[in-house]
Amino acid sequence: MRGIDELAYHVQQWDLPVLTISSQPDVPGAVIRPLVQPVALYPWSMIWRQGLHHPGLTALRDAARDLADAEGWLHLTDDAWLPEPEASRPPVHSEHPESR
């Protein structure tokens, strides 16, 4: 069982809500509603093998940083909501040396 069928089974069998992406296709037997108030944010992270120095990784990190700057990903609106522990963490202003 995979994808939509597995999600439909989970919702119907366990009668529990599931958080999903905003572009989630319809799921048989389920109702999909966007979370709009408060605005829910997802604390995305990148992970890679320690000591990895690859031009593809550098390009991906640079692209993510550029998009974050251009789209304001790191700027929280007044009505934004973050889960713990992210809500209590200070904002990240600079890159940590160990992330290189």
Side-chain angles (χ1 to χ4, degrees):
M1 191 177 323
R2 303 181 80 198
I4 299 292
D5 294 333
E6 185 173 356
L7 188 53
Y9 175 80
H10 176 86
V11 170
Q12 294 168 9
Q13 178 70 26
W14 303 110
D15 197 27
L16 295 171
V18 175
L19 291 175
T20 187
I21 58 176
S22 59
S23 59
Q24 172 66 50
D26 289 339
V27 177
V31 177
I32 299 171
R33 296 286 184 260
L35 299 175
V36 294
Q37 286 193 342
V39 174
L41 304 176
Y42 186 85
W44 290 101
S45 298
M46 288 177 59
I47 185 171
W48 58 88
R49 187 178 67 246
Q50 184 176 5
L52 177 63
H53 300 284
H54 188 279
L57 175 60
T58 301
L60 179 60
R61 289 178 43 236
D62 290 347
R65 186 179 304 110
D66 292 347
L67 279 171
D69 290 344
E71 300 292 330
W73 289 353
L74 301 178
H75 301 285
L76 300 178
T77 61
D78 291 337
D79 60 346
W81 173 85
L82 279 172
E84 289 296 342
E86 287 81 6
S88 298
R89 289 184 182 149
V92 177
H93 295 290
S94 62
E95 187 174 302
H96 295 287
E98 64 271 13
S99 66
R100 286 244 175 227

